[in-house]
Amino acid sequence: MSKKIILGLVLVSAFAACQRQAAEPEVYVPAPNPVTTEPVYQGKYGAN
C-alpha cells in the first residue's frame, strides 16, 4: 500500500516539475540618452 502512495507522489511531483512556467511579458523600458553638447568647429588644426 505504501509503495502505491510513494509511486503516486513521485508521479505527481514529476508531472508538476514538467509543467511550463507562465511566461512573463517583456516590458521595454528605454534608457535615457545622455545629453551631450554639439562639437564646435576649431579650425583646420584644432586651434582657433
Side-chain angles (χ1 to χ4, degrees):
M1 183 71 168
S2 64
K3 288 184 181 180
K4 290 182 181 179
I5 294 172
I6 293 173
L7 180 62
L9 290 175
V10 169
L11 290 176
V12 168
S13 63
F15 180 74
C18 292
Q19 292 295 313
R20 295 187 71 174
Q21 298 293 327
E24 295 181 13
E26 294 184 17
V27 179
Y28 174 72
V29 179
N33 294 334
V35 177
T36 58
T37 59
E38 184 175 339
V40 179
Y41 179 70
Q42 296 181 349
K44 184 175 182 180
Y45 298 107
N48 288 336

